Amino acid sequence: MSTNLSRRNVLQLSMGAAAISLLAACGAKTEDSAANAPAAKNPVEIKVGYIADYNGAALMAVADQEGYWAKAGLSPKYLPFTNGPLAIQALGTDNIDVAYIGSGALWLPASGKAEIWAVNSVSNADRIIAQPGIKSLADLKGKKFAIPTGTSGDQLFSLALKKDGLTRADFEVLAMEPPAIVAAFASKQIDGAALWYPLIDSAKKGSPDLVELYSNEDFIDELTFPSTFVAGPGRAAKDKELATSFISVIKSSNDYRHANQDSTIALTAKFLKLKEEDMKAQAGVAKIFTTKELEELASKGTVYTWLNALQEQFKAAEKIKEVVDPKTFFNSELYVSTSKA
């Protein structure tokens, strides 16, 4: 009997030892697998310049809300700018990695100062405005007219002058920053200006009966005014992963905006700490496209046509010396081939 018990004990001990060995082996394998598994990448910081209006900030607000930055492995740091030329200047000093700009600043990419990574929308936000009682641009001859140099407002002014057979010499042209133009117009220190929404809404608070003489829509057959996201020249070639990651965020945010305008307006208002009604008004002055539509516009060369027409305008205004191949500052293949986040 004692012999049978000993055999049973030996068998139990052997089975227990085997089980412990098996568990230990499994544990060791799990630990080894965890040790050998690739470590999760820390998100890469990307410094993003934006303009504090619906067109310039909507996609940033959406990307934050929907987690597109995290999906693309990026962590944004936002820096606001009042206009495109200042943002591109910051690109040149490496203070930002990528920036939103309006069409008026696209002469800088055409000059080799930046490259386009993505098209945002087509703007109809710019206006030529005048004090109450002014009925035409000719009525402003000899009077003070303010422009934000190198912007889409400046560009619209050139088109309006050509249409009315006038030159800049016919006016007392003042180069001013957009916020300064708003203040000067509201206090009636200037008679006319080239400006854009939402800044015009601010100008209306001091001059509610101001006159809108021209808008982008008046020249839609001559020129299209796309807003874009740009980086420093050659940046995509140096850091393609950053470029494709950013483009993927923009594409996803763009489709969300197109499908959810009301919530995008609310998100942008929260992002900018502004009123929703202001955002709603601003949303009405831009034509937006689905990402698929933008890909088709890029692949078919339509965006290049826009950029060539803009360059012709920039050349006439003596902002650039010659028209260059738009492929030198916009790689449509990079945009089209990048998947959404």
Side-chain angles (χ1 to χ4, degrees):
M1 183 174 179
S2 61
T3 303
N4 291 338
L5 288 173
S6 297
R7 288 174 179 172
R8 188 182 301 118
N9 290 342
V10 169
L11 181 60
Q12 288 174 342
L13 288 171
S14 298
M15 291 174 66
I20 291 171
S21 297
L22 180 61
L23 289 171
C26 289
K29 185 176 181 180
T30 302
E31 290 173 2
D32 289 343
S33 297
N36 294 328
K41 290 184 179 180
N42 291 325
V44 175
E45 182 181 84
I46 182 169
K47 299 185 289 294
V48 182
Y50 70 97
I51 292 177
D53 56 27
Y54 180 82
N55 213 34
L59 299 191
M60 309 299 99
V62 167
D64 279 352
Q65 172 69 25
E66 295 301 303
Y68 295 140
W69 292 117
K71 289 179 182 178
L74 299 175
S75 175
K77 179 180 180 181
Y78 299 120
L79 291 91
F81 292 88
T82 57
N83 61 59
L86 287 176
I88 290 181
Q89 183 178 341
L91 287 174
T93 55
D94 294 326
N95 287 321
I96 55 174
D97 298 300
V98 64
Y100 163 90
I101 64 169
S103 62
L106 282 170
W107 65 276
L108 288 161
S111 302
K113 303 294 184 182
E115 65 183 19
I116 298 169
W117 280 4
V119 172
N120 177 48
S121 63
V122 172
S123 175
N124 186 35
D126 301 285
R127 301 287 188 275
I128 301 298
I129 61 174
Q131 296 290 354
I134 301 294
K135 297 181 179 180
S136 70
L137 198 57
D139 289 345
L140 288 168
K141 290 180 67 173
K143 298 183 182 295
K144 293 180 179 179
F145 190 95
I147 58 168
T149 305
T151 66
S152 52
D154 188 0
Q155 193 174 11
L156 182 63
F157 184 48
S158 294
L159 289 170
L161 289 174
K162 180 181 178 181
K163 184 172 184 178
D164 287 4
L166 300 168
T167 69
R168 296 185 182 228
D170 292 320
F171 309 85
E172 186 180 344
V173 176
L174 305 173
M176 300 172 66
E177 288 298 308
I181 292 177
V182 171
F185 193 91
S187 61
K188 295 181 171 51
Q189 295 179 41
I190 56 176
D191 304 289
L195 205 57
W196 54 83
Y197 283 96
L199 292 173
I200 293 173
D201 286 326
S202 299
K204 284 181 178 180
K205 293 176 182 178
S207 185
D209 297 322
L210 66 78
V211 179
E212 295 185 5
L213 299 175
Y214 282 110
S215 73
N216 304 96
E217 196 169 2
D218 293 315
F219 302 95
I220 197 69
D221 293 335
E222 289 185 61
L223 198 63
T224 300
F225 293 80
S227 59
T228 60
F229 292 96
V230 299
R235 182 67 188 273
K238 297 175 186 175
D239 197 344
K240 186 177 180 180
E241 185 174 356
L242 183 72
T244 55
S245 295
F246 177 80
I247 293 170
S248 75
V249 171
I250 293 302
K251 283 187 165 185
S252 294
S253 299
N254 178 69
D255 276 343
Y256 179 96
R257 174 181 59 180
H258 192 275
N260 305 278
Q261 188 175 58
D262 288 344
S263 58
T264 301
I265 287 170
L267 288 172
T268 310
K270 182 179 179 181
F271 181 87
L272 296 175
K273 297 180 174 61
L274 296 173
K275 296 178 180 179
E276 284 190 34
E277 54 262 36
D278 292 336
M279 293 298 99
K280 188 174 183 179
Q282 293 172 28
V285 294
K287 178 176 175 55
I288 60 174
F289 306 86
T290 65
T291 293
K292 183 178 180 180
E293 287 171 336
L294 286 173
E295 288 174 347
E296 290 175 351
L297 290 167
S299 61
K300 291 179 180 179
T302 303
V303 175
Y304 288 140
T305 299
W306 293 350
L307 296 175
N308 274 330
L310 282 168
Q311 286 192 88
E312 292 291 350
Q313 179 65 26
F314 293 141
K315 183 179 179 181
E318 299 183 345
K319 286 185 172 61
I320 61 173
K321 293 181 179 179
E322 60 182 355
V323 174
V324 301
D325 186 344
K327 292 181 180 179
T328 61
F329 59 94
F330 175 49
N331 184 345
S332 65
E333 293 181 3
L334 177 65
Y335 176 79
V336 172
S337 64
T338 300
S339 300
K340 295 194 294 184

